[in-house]
Amino acid sequence: MRRYAAAFAIALAVFGAALVLIAPSPDGDEPHYVLEAVSIARDLDRDLADEYDDASLISSIYGPTSLEPHAFRFPGGHGLVSVHSPGLPLLLAPVAVVTESHTLMRAEIVVIGAIGAMLLMMLLDRVPLGTPRLRWVAWLAVVLAAPVVVYSSALFPEMPAATLSLGAAVLLTRPRPGPWALAGAAACAGFLPWLNVRFLPLTLCLAAIGLWRAWQHPRRAAAVAGAVAPLAVLGIAFAIGFQYWYGSPWPSAQYALSTSEATLAGTYRFGIGGLFSAQYGWFPKVPVHLLAVVAIGVLVWRVGRPALVGVLVAALYLLVIGASGVGFPGHSYAGRQLVVLMPLAAVPILALLAAQRRWWSWGAFAVLGAVSLALTFSAVRNDARVDAVADDSLEGRYNRLWPSYDPRRAAPEETWVGAPARLDHDVGEVRDESLPGATEPGVLAAPRGERGVLEQGTTPPMPASAFTAGVQLRAAEAPTGDVARIEVRDERGELLAERDVPARALPPEIGYRAFLLPFHTERPGRLTFTLRTTGNVELLAGPPVVGNHPAATLRGSEGVRDVAETFALIAALVLLAAALTVYDRRRGSTSRE
């Protein structure tokens, strides 16, 4: 117990120090989670209408962040409901009862993260390899990892999800988990989709493992009941809640109004990029965790079925994340979606250090560990910035060792913003209304019943490159049917990008929504942006924006080169893993502990 208390205290000190030193301000989705936590604490509901009407509350929570509402009235739902899952706001609600302070809510996440670190030490004690000293070394390789330190105080669902997953793993790896242990594991697994539906694959895997362990128990009926009951209760509550809030019980219901579209570039960056991208990947920020990949074969060879099951669960989660194909993983520090898996890296690292007590294994760990620790200090010192350093500093040169996946400005950077007063349009008028974050008024409005071109503009000559075109829209009342069509054409009139805007994607209550169209051109020339209104609703639109953005498409970001670099790195890791496994097996079973 002293070791577990020490693990908790050390993690609490590290994560608490990071909170103080980074002193993060509300960013990305964080203020939206806080606002919902306040709604749950004050009103015991998820309807954010009165919270958005409270100017002082919005100012307190959002600060200087531009207000881009993430709550809508879903068809068939009830209230102005957030698109984000309710699990994290539910966890933050007890703090929100007494304060709106981001800092105190972050402190709660720090405590949750420290509990997760303690659970990780318990899990490492279940691995039949190594000594207590080696377990501390492997444990520190995770607890001091930059993404773990950064997200230990971030108001995102990743750290609570990691802690819940570790709690379930610790309970399920007991020698013979009883009904209560199985019920605890099921409760941990069942709450994961409440934090975010992307954790649903982990829930399903943990549930299957729980049922398998329950089936082996002497008191099979009681054990199965323990493994099933919490999942059933949480699952039914989830379905009922989603039906009430979003008008559908399906986990995808909260994204019914999403304007994101899956693309090949998004799949590539969101999947492989989440592992290897210099800008937002896991391994560039924690290169010592590459040893976990190299040691997977050794771990499976020495531990057997439990290790294989863990590897398959992690692989399934990675596959689901990559298959989403929605693009970049938000405005956040590297490795966000994979933080839930990072604690598991300690297990194969422990297996490597315990099984291969050679100078080369410890030398590789020392070098990569030192680099990883330096990157953690850099993250804390530089306030965990999102963009990778690209200068000639030591960190900048290090980042160039990895596939970039970020915008490469092969062509001159060009961005065109249409001025409302100068845009050609058949219907509509210029309104004196500001867009979110705008410094001057600039809104075009088309009355209900008028069909035609709301706004149209032609850019100056643009280079051959990848582009993103976009416009911000909102409706003056509840819309029905398709409300608009967006088109981009080249000088020859060839259609480069198009998109219909359905009513469900354009709720009228708060703010504007941005609609983006990525496309690629093979020849330079002028581009024409057109927004047509169907007349189904009074429509308000900001000026169109067209800018060359080499990361908008895989081809535009020179993705072929990134693919080659990435798969060469993956091939090298696989060959190392295979060679190490063969070497370990040839040493014979006498080396197994």
Side-chain angles (χ1 to χ4, degrees):
M1 291 301 296
R2 288 183 179 178
R3 293 176 64 245
Y4 302 147
F8 175 82
I10 292 171
L12 189 66
V14 171
F15 298 162
L19 171 59
V20 173
L21 293 173
I22 296 176
S25 59
D27 196 12
D29 294 335
E30 290 184 309
H32 303 290
Y33 285 119
V34 173
L35 187 69
E36 184 171 353
V38 171
S39 177
I40 293 172
R42 288 183 177 181
D43 307 328
L44 299 179
D45 63 29
R46 297 188 66 202
D47 189 347
L48 301 179
D50 50 346
E51 279 72 30
Y52 275 116
D53 286 340
D54 189 336
S56 62
L57 176 65
I58 293 297
S59 176
S60 171
I61 290 177
Y62 283 80
T65 305
S66 176
L67 175 60
E68 182 184 349
H70 288 194
F72 307 103
R73 298 191 186 277
F74 288 80
H78 294 78
L80 189 64
V81 183
S82 172
V83 299
H84 299 290
S85 299
L88 182 58
L90 283 170
L91 292 178
L92 298 176
V95 177
V97 169
V98 295
T99 180
E100 302 157 10
S101 169
H102 291 86
T103 301
L104 291 181
M105 293 186 189
R106 294 180 191 279
E108 179 187 346
I109 302 298
V110 165
V111 173
I112 292 174
I115 294 172
M118 179 183 67
L119 292 171
L120 175 60
M121 181 60 75
M122 293 181 180
L123 182 63
L124 291 174
D125 280 345
R126 304 280 167 81
V127 181
L129 292 170
T131 63
R133 185 173 298 176
L134 286 181
R135 290 188 176 93
W136 276 111
V137 173
W139 182 84
L140 287 170
V142 165
V143 172
L144 299 181
V148 173
V149 171
V150 169
Y151 286 104
S152 65
S153 61
L155 297 174
F156 290 114
E158 273 60 40
M159 189 55 68
T163 298
L164 286 173
S165 299
L166 286 167
V170 167
L171 291 170
L172 292 173
T173 53
R174 297 179 66 175
R176 180 175 288 179
W180 287 108
L182 292 168
C188 291
F191 194 72
L192 284 172
W194 287 78
L195 290 169
N196 196 292
V197 295
R198 68 170 168 268
F199 300 130
L200 186 58
L202 298 180
T203 295
L204 298 177
C205 290
L206 291 169
I209 296 170
L211 284 172
W212 175 60
R213 297 303 311 268
W215 195 258
Q216 296 176 321
H217 198 275
R219 293 185 294 156
R220 181 177 295 173
V224 170
V228 170
L231 286 168
V233 171
L234 288 169
I236 292 172
F238 182 93
I240 293 174
F242 269 47
Q243 177 65 51
Y244 181 81
W245 298 316
Y246 302 116
S248 170
W250 292 104
S252 60
Q254 67 192 107
Y255 303 118
L257 305 182
S258 173
T259 60
S260 299
E261 294 182 345
T263 64
L264 179 60
T267 298
Y268 177 56
R269 298 189 187 103
F270 215 37
I272 297 176
L275 292 173
F276 296 107
S277 165
Q279 183 175 356
Y280 50 84
W282 171 359
F283 295 133
K285 298 300 182 183
V286 205
V288 73
H289 286 185
L290 290 171
L291 297 179
V293 179
V294 173
I296 284 177
V298 173
L299 175 68
V300 173
W301 157 241
R302 288 179 170 264
V303 177
R305 185 185 298 170
L308 179 60
V309 170
V311 170
L312 293 176
V313 170
L316 176 63
Y317 178 76
L318 288 171
L319 181 64
V320 171
I321 291 297
S324 65
V326 295
F328 291 102
H331 186 73
S332 54
Y333 187 69
R336 173 179 167 185
Q337 277 77 9
L338 302 179
V339 165
V340 68
L341 297 183
M342 286 184 193
L344 298 180
V347 180
I349 288 175
L350 172 62
L352 176 67
L353 297 179
Q356 302 295 329
R357 299 180 182 179
R358 298 290 188 271
W359 65 267
W360 48 264
S361 61
W362 278 98
F365 179 84
V367 172
L368 295 176
V371 175
S372 299
L373 192 59
L375 292 168
T376 299
F377 280 117
S378 174
V380 173
R381 184 181 71 251
N382 295 301
D383 300 332
R385 59 186 165 203
V386 176
D387 297 326
V389 177
D391 55 27
D392 289 329
S393 65
L394 182 61
E395 187 175 352
R397 292 196 295 272
Y398 165 80
N399 286 330
R400 288 197 287 273
L401 296 174
W402 301 87
S404 62
Y405 302 90
D406 60 354
R408 294 202 187 100
R409 303 296 180 183
E413 184 174 355
E414 298 284 350
T415 300
W416 170 80
V417 181
R422 301 191 189 99
L423 293 172
D424 296 329
H425 51 272
D426 300 331
V427 299
E429 60 182 2
V430 178
R431 289 272 187 92
D432 186 24
E433 181 177 336
S434 295
L435 288 164
T439 57
E440 59 184 23
V443 171
L444 285 161
R448 182 183 181 91
E450 292 288 339
R451 298 174 179 267
V453 175
L454 173 56
E455 57 184 6
Q456 184 177 75
T458 300
T459 72
M462 305 291 268
S465 179
F467 289 86
T468 297
V471 65
Q472 290 185 306
L473 302 173
R474 93 174 157 89
E477 59 190 81
T480 58
D482 287 344
V483 297
R485 182 178 180 83
I486 306 169
E487 296 178 352
V488 180
R489 298 180 181 271
D490 63 11
E491 285 184 331
R492 302 181 182 182
E494 180 181 343
L495 184 65
L496 301 175
E498 62 179 338
R499 184 169 188 174
D500 289 320
V501 180
R504 66 176 186 276
L506 199 63
E509 285 81 6
I510 307 246
Y512 288 77
R513 299 202 73 181
F515 293 83
L516 304 178
L517 290 80
F519 62 96
H520 189 273
T521 61
E522 297 290 348
R523 52 182 177 268
R526 300 177 186 272
L527 305 171
T528 299
F529 181 106
T530 304
L531 174 65
R532 302 178 186 276
T533 175
T534 64
N536 289 342
V537 68
E538 182 182 354
L539 191 66
L540 295 92
V545 178
V546 179
N548 77 316
H549 193 290
T553 66
L554 190 59
R555 180 172 46 172
S557 64
E558 300 179 13
V560 173
R561 193 186 81 173
D562 279 343
V563 169
E565 292 176 355
T566 302
F567 279 95
L569 179 56
I570 292 173
L573 292 173
V574 171
L575 288 174
L576 280 173
L580 189 60
T581 304
V582 171
Y583 172 73
D584 191 60
R585 296 186 67 175
R586 285 182 176 177
R587 290 176 61 201
S589 59
T590 56
S591 67
R592 298 180 71 177
E593 300 183 15

